[in-house]
Amino acid sequence: MSSFLLKLAIMSAILLLPRSNAQLSSTFYATTCPNVSAVVRGVIEQAAQNDVRIGAKLIRLHFHDCFVDGCDGSILLDNADGIDSEKEAGPNKDSVDGFPVVDDIKTAVENVCPGVVSCADILAIASQISVSLGGGQTWEVQLGRRDGRTANRAGADSNLPSPFTTLEEIKGNFSNVGLDTTDLVALSGAHTFGRARCRSFSPRLYDFKSTGNPDPSIDATYLETLRQTCPQGGNEDTLTNLDQASANDFDNNYFTNLQNNKGLLQTDQELFSTTGADTIEIVNRFASSQCGFFDSFGQSMIKMGNISPLTGSNGEIRSNCKRVN
Ligand code: HEM
Ligand SMILES: *[C@@H]1O[C@H](CO)[C@@H](O)[C@H](O)[C@H]1NC(C)=O
Ligand SMILES: *[C@@H]1O[C@H](CO)[C@@H](O)[C@H](O)[C@H]1NC(C)=O
């Protein structure tokens, strides 16, 4: 091949590389902030002493960040001129939390490496550490995201999956951001820890899909327990464990719960109880192999973390996660 043709071939190969994940890397802060993970871990360990749920809150923030215009830290922005905070979108309001700990992490990181680490990357690092602290496995967190300068409240209302939809709709929500069925089942496994409010599942207990009856896919004993926690006409903000078998541990009990008809959300139980669904065998696989689940979970977290990141000179490194610079 002539050197001209060779150069042409190399240039086309470079142009054809996928753009979305070409620029994130696990060593992004190796020289600019080598201790960033330890600093993030220290703050989360401290926070966990007062809030056993903090890890669950932090990983959910990363999920709700990434599903709305990519992992750009947009969920962390407060209302301001030109910013309609995503915190007030339906799926987030009075539900997502962990913001004060994100601010504490940011302060600690700024103290050691000012102006270097994005808020979007802090959520990615915090997610992995939260899973490890809960007893899960580690994965190579990909870094180099920059922070967005806008929020998208309407996008948060329309892109974040509702717990009251069909499996098909949830699959659609995930495929919209490039996540497949295995990613959906693996990532749903994050409901192995954390809490949900009665309002997120109470229709299943009394009037499922306006039938006047409970969801037929709930185990009878579990139904009784949930009805005691969430009586009809009671406080819809009462919290209960997403994983009734091991509430605060990151393990594969979420999947055995589904096999036992003890999934809390409609969209959890549907992964196992939808007739003929291709998700059933994936649930069975993760229920029978915690390692298999952990491996898939790490891979899917990397994929989720790769949703449209801002890189290079796009966006900015916010100095305060709540505000654009
Ligand atoms: C598959 C679609 C999903 C739906 C429909 C969904 C829905 C929900 C709902 C309704 C809650 C309870 C909120 C409340 O009552 O205040 C919740 C909590 C939670 N979700 Fe999901 N979720 C999904 C996927 C995910 C993913 C992909 C992750 C992370 C990778 C995740 C992590 C969590 C965690 C950790 C909690 C507990 C948070 C806490 O204790 O504060 N969820 N989710
Ligand atoms: C890294 O950070 C941790 C937690 O803040 C601290 O204990 C440790 O001494 C730091 N290491 C270095 C080399 O700065
Ligand atoms: C995704 O989620 C939204 C909000 O829950 C829903 O209205 C929409 O129909 C879902 N499906 C797809 C394919 O986006």
Side-chain angles (χ1 to χ4, degrees):
M1 210 192 297
S2 77
S3 80
F4 170 74
L5 281 179
L6 188 65
K7 273 185 202 153
L8 198 69
I10 292 171
M11 279 171 56
S12 341
I14 290 171
L15 287 174
L16 289 172
L17 280 176
R19 281 166 160 245
S20 60
N21 57 6
Q23 288 145 312
L24 298 187
S25 108
S26 60
T27 54
F28 190 79
Y29 297 114
T31 55
T32 54
C33 198
N35 204 19
V36 61
S37 280
V39 173
V40 176
R41 176 179 281 265
V43 177
I44 297 177
E45 278 174 346
Q46 190 74 40
Q49 293 181 359
N50 306 313
D51 181 4
V52 69
R53 198 177 150 200
I54 188 60
K57 292 174 180 174
L58 291 170
I59 193 172
R60 187 161 184 242
L61 278 181
H62 184 45
F63 161 49
H64 282 204
D65 181 27
C66 293
F67 266 57
V68 182
D69 298 341
C71 315
D72 61 353
S74 57
I75 193 170
L76 302 174
L77 291 173
D78 281 346
N79 279 325
D81 256 9
I83 305 278
D84 287 335
S85 178
E86 292 172 19
K87 297 174 187 181
E88 289 176 28
N92 290 334
K93 193 170 165 43
D94 302 322
S95 184
V96 291
D97 199 0
F99 300 106
V101 174
V102 173
D103 292 337
D104 290 347
I105 295 172
K106 179 65 174 173
T107 304
V109 170
E110 288 295 298
N111 282 340
V112 289
C113 332
V116 169
V117 181
S118 66
C119 298
D121 275 351
I122 283 176
L123 292 182
I125 299 168
S127 296
Q128 192 280 308
I129 289 169
S130 296
V131 168
S132 295
L133 292 176
Q137 197 170 282
T138 185
W139 63 87
E140 278 214 326
V141 184
Q142 302 297 300
L143 300 167
R145 299 168 192 81
R146 292 168 62 86
D147 296 319
R149 298 179 50 80
T150 54
N152 184 355
R153 185 183 302 165
D157 273 315
S158 61
N159 298 344
L160 292 168
S162 147
F164 302 114
T165 52
T166 62
L167 179 58
E168 280 313 306
E169 283 172 286
I170 295 284
K171 282 186 179 180
N173 289 129
F174 275 63
S175 80
N176 285 344
V177 289
L179 298 175
D180 63 24
T181 303
T182 305
D183 298 319
L184 166 63
V185 180
L187 292 172
S188 295
H191 292 169
T192 177
F193 61 0
R195 314 282 181 266
R197 296 167 299 166
C198 292
R199 66 177 70 253
S200 298
F201 58 87
S202 58
R204 298 186 73 205
L205 311 180
Y206 302 102
D207 187 18
F208 184 59
K209 297 184 177 172
S210 307
T211 56
N213 294 311
D215 184 338
S217 68
I218 308 182
D219 167 83
T221 312
Y222 188 46
L223 174 64
E224 269 324 299
T225 309
L226 292 176
R227 282 180 161 183
Q228 274 163 29
T229 309
C230 306
Q232 226 166 354
N235 182 355
E236 290 286 322
D237 292 322
T238 301
L239 294 170
T240 196
N241 300 326
L242 277 157
D243 174 359
Q244 53 89 38
S246 52
N248 302 320
D249 299 337
F250 198 96
D251 56 24
N252 68 337
N253 282 337
Y254 169 82
F255 298 102
T256 39
N257 290 339
L258 300 186
Q259 291 177 320
N260 295 327
N261 297 322
K262 291 177 178 172
L264 184 65
L265 306 179
Q266 178 188 326
T267 45
D268 291 326
Q269 193 58 48
E270 279 170 351
L271 298 174
F272 185 74
S273 299
T274 305
T275 310
D278 55 356
T279 48
I280 298 171
E281 60 100 5
I282 309 174
V283 169
N284 288 335
R285 179 151 58 85
F286 292 158
S288 66
S289 167
Q290 180 155 280
C291 287
F293 165 51
F294 283 175
D295 279 354
S296 283
F297 189 80
Q299 285 174 36
S300 296
M301 283 298 290
I302 290 172
K303 269 175 87 173
M304 186 177 89
N306 254 313
I307 301 172
S308 318
L310 295 168
T311 53
S313 57
N314 294 318
E316 62 185 21
I317 305 298
R318 254 177 241 156
S319 53
N320 177 337
C321 293
K322 296 204 246 298
R323 286 188 276 281
V324 298
N325 290 344

